[in-house]
């Protein structure tokens, strides 16, 4: 520790201070320029320069610069004492603050540093720069929506897999039970107000059984389900986030098929979803942001349809259907770039209507063509930090689809069903699936 900073009646004397809690002097005299270089290691309550007495022998100019990395150490309400003086002898001269405000950019909510003289002290006080979160925080909410979209697409696939493949296997072969398995891939873009690109894999495994009744047959099928996606999310300003999401659950499928071709169906499902997020684009590419999350989900669907024979041999049939779906993904908490976030639950509801024309070449081989339309009524994701909300991406909107597939009986007890579906509208892209059934 130096005893004094003292010049002998000279002018333009300059003192630079670039560290905290290191400089404590008895007297400071004849200093006309006092420069504070606030370091990246600064924290709340630090003092950069302290003295028992500051004596002015001319006006003194105080210049302050703040290291760009210092913002990560601050929160609103923090105070750094640039100068702490027990007494000031001004001799009629003034202390002039040359620059008094500093932008302190943060990932979630920017801060503003203000330099002011408070009595004998010169302080840097930190406050929020605005009353809202930064717009790029919408990227965090896109991640919650990604897993919700993955679960929703899984529901649509279940409706096709269990309803068409397992039921057909049981009915066509008069079997008492059938093991069914499905795997598929989807390359989809979700337009959410920005957009998410998803490359997803799905899998389903279950056992379908059938009972006859006075109206026709009743099918029930417990199943396990799994989905996984690698995703990339993009805001309109180009900010890029990426990660993966997955879900694992179980459910029950029910279907009543009447002898007149009308059928009614429904399902219940639930499980857990997990995922992660990473972006290197925050604060002009100087900061990497990441977080992990976990949530639970459940859902149901109900539907009805009718299969109409188009010729006497019933080799051409038209299946027309309507379905309603609902899924709920629970909210979760996450710490992102040092800030605590709470994400709302994502509730999705949508309808799908469509028709499928099937032509059977023979009892063991058939091809089908389909078209449909899906409209999602709800499906928003919002995060909150400090009582303020992120912008909310949404899945709400309409999507059209066309499909092409074929079914082949490969052995007495084994069959496959393969198809491709093209989506256009709110969702864009192509999905592929291969279903297999084994009857016993």
């Amino acid at each position: 520790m130096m005893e004094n900073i003292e010049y002998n009646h000279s002018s333009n004397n300059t003192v630079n201070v670039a560290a905290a809690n290191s400089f404590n002097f008895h007297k400071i005299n004849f200093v006309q320029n006092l420069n504070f270089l606030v370091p990246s290691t600064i924290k709340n309550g630090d003092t950069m320069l302290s003295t028992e007495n500051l004596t002015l022998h001319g006006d003194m100019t105080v210049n302050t610069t703040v290291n760009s990395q210092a913002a990560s150490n601050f929160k609103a309400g923090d105070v750094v004492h640039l100068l702490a003086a027990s007494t000031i002898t001004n001799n009629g001269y003034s202390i002039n603050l040359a620059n008094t405000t500093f932008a302190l950019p943060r990932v979630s909510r920017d801060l503003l540093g203000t330099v002011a003289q408070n009595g004998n002290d010169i302080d840097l006080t930190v406050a929020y720069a605005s009353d809202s979160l930064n717009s790029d925080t919408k990227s965090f909410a896109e991640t919650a929506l990604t897993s919700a979209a993955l679960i929703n697409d899984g529901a649509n696939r279940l409706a096709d897999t269990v309803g068409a493949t397992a039921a057909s296997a049981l009915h066509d072969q008069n079997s008492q039970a059938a093991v069914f398995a499905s795997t598929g891939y989807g390359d989809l873009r979700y337009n959410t107000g920005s957009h998410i690109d998803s490359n997803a894999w799905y899998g389903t495994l279950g056992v379908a059984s059938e009972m006859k009744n006075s109206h026709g047959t009743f099918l029930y099928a417990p199943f396990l389900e799994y989905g996984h996606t690698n995703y990339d999310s993009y805001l309109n300003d180009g900010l890029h986030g990426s990660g993966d999401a997955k879900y694992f659950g179980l459910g029950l499928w029910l279907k009543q098929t009447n002898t007149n071709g009308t059928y009614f169906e429904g399902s219940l499902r639930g499980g857990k979803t997990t995922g992660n997020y990473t972006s290197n684009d925050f604060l002009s590419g100087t900061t990497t942001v990441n977080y992990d999350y976990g949530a639970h989900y459940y859902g149901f669907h109900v539907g009805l349809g009718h299969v109409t024979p188009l010729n006497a041999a019933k080799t051409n049939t038209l299946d027309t259907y309507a379905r309603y779906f609902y899924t709920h993904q629970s909210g979760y908490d996450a710490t992102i770039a040092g800030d605590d976030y709470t994400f709302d639950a994502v509730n999705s509801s949508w309808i799908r209507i469509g028709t499928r024309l099937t032509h059977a070449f023979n009892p063991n081989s058939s091809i089908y063509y389909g078209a449909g339309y899906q409209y999602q009524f709800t499906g928003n994701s919002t995060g909150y930090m400090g009582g303020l909300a992120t912008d909310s991406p949404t899945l709400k909107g309409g999507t059209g689809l066309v499909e092409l597939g074929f079914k082949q009986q490969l052995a007495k007890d084994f069959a496959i069903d393969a198809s491709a579906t093209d989506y256009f509208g709110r969702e864009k892209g192509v999905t592929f699936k291969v279903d297999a059934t084994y009857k016993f």
Side-chain angles (χ1 to χ4, degrees), residues 385-427:
M385 195 284 288
L388 299 176
T390 67
D391 291 340
S392 299
T394 182
L395 296 173
K396 183 178 179 180
T399 300
L401 63 99
V402 292
E403 63 175 343
L404 172 65
F406 71 91
K407 299 179 182 180
Q408 181 67 47
Q409 191 78 30
L410 298 178
K412 178 181 178 182
D413 299 321
F414 181 70
I416 63 168
D417 178 348
S419 68
T421 304
D422 182 56
Y423 293 86
F424 49 93
R426 174 66 78 173
E427 298 181 27

Side-chain angles (χ1 to χ4, degrees), residues 255-258 261-265 303-307 319-321:
K255 183 175 183 178
Q256 169 68 36
T257 302
N258 294 340
T262 299
Y263 61 86
F264 305 90
E265 63 185 32
L304 59 87
H306 186 83
V307 178
D319 181 358
T320 302
Y321 61 87

Side-chain angles (χ1 to χ4, degrees), residues 67-221:
N67 187 290
S68 61
Q69 300 301 312
S72 62
N73 300 327
F74 287 133
K75 63 180 183 297
D78 285 355
V79 176
V80 171
H81 306 293
L82 302 177
L83 172 67
S86 298
T87 60
I88 296 178
T89 304
N90 58 38
N91 294 319
Y93 296 105
S94 300
I95 297 175
N96 302 314
L97 304 180
N99 44 347
T100 58
T101 58
F102 303 89
L104 302 172
R106 293 288 304 271
V107 168
S108 298
R109 189 178 180 188
D110 290 342
L111 299 172
L112 182 69
T114 302
V115 175
Q117 184 172 350
N118 299 309
N120 292 336
D121 296 343
I122 297 175
D123 295 333
L124 172 65
T125 302
V126 179
Y128 285 120
S130 69
D131 294 330
S132 61
L133 298 182
N134 295 339
S135 60
D136 283 347
T137 58
K138 179 185 178 182
S139 183
F140 306 147
E142 295 272 16
T143 296
L145 208 62
T146 298
S147 56
L150 181 71
I151 294 167
N152 294 351
D153 287 341
N156 286 327
R157 294 179 63 82
L158 281 169
D160 291 334
T161 299
V162 183
T165 306
S168 175
L170 285 166
H171 179 71
D172 293 344
Q173 300 299 323
N174 295 315
S175 302
Q176 297 301 311
V179 175
F180 61 92
S182 174
T183 185
Y185 169 78
D187 182 2
L188 292 174
R189 169 168 291 188
Y190 305 96
N191 293 303
T192 61
S194 38
H195 69 269
I196 303 167
D197 291 335
S198 172
N199 296 285
W201 288 95
Y202 305 86
T204 308
L205 177 65
V207 179
S209 300
E210 191 173 71
M211 299 184 300
K212 296 186 181 299
N213 55 42
S214 59
H215 298 286
T217 57
F218 178 73
L219 178 148
Y220 59 97

Side-chain angles (χ1 to χ4, degrees), residues 316-397:
N316 295 322
T317 59
L318 185 66
D319 181 358
T320 302
Y321 61 87
R323 296 167 179 150
Y324 172 80
F325 298 84
Y326 174 84
T327 64
H328 169 88
Q329 177 182 283
S330 65
Y332 58 84
D333 297 328
T335 299
I336 306 174
D339 296 315
D340 294 329
Y341 277 79
T342 295
F343 290 88
D344 274 350
V346 180
N347 297 301
S348 301
S349 62
W350 70 100
I351 59 169
R352 175 179 281 196
I353 57 175
T355 188
R356 175 185 289 178
L357 175 65
T358 300
H359 172 72
F361 298 107
N362 54 57
N364 296 322
S365 181
S366 62
I367 189 170
Y368 58 87
Y369 317 86
Y373 179 77
Q374 174 179 304
Y375 188 84
Q376 183 135 340
F377 300 104
T378 59
N380 300 335
S381 174
T382 306
Y384 296 88
M385 195 284 288
L388 299 176
T390 67
D391 291 340
S392 299
T394 182
L395 296 173
K396 183 178 179 180

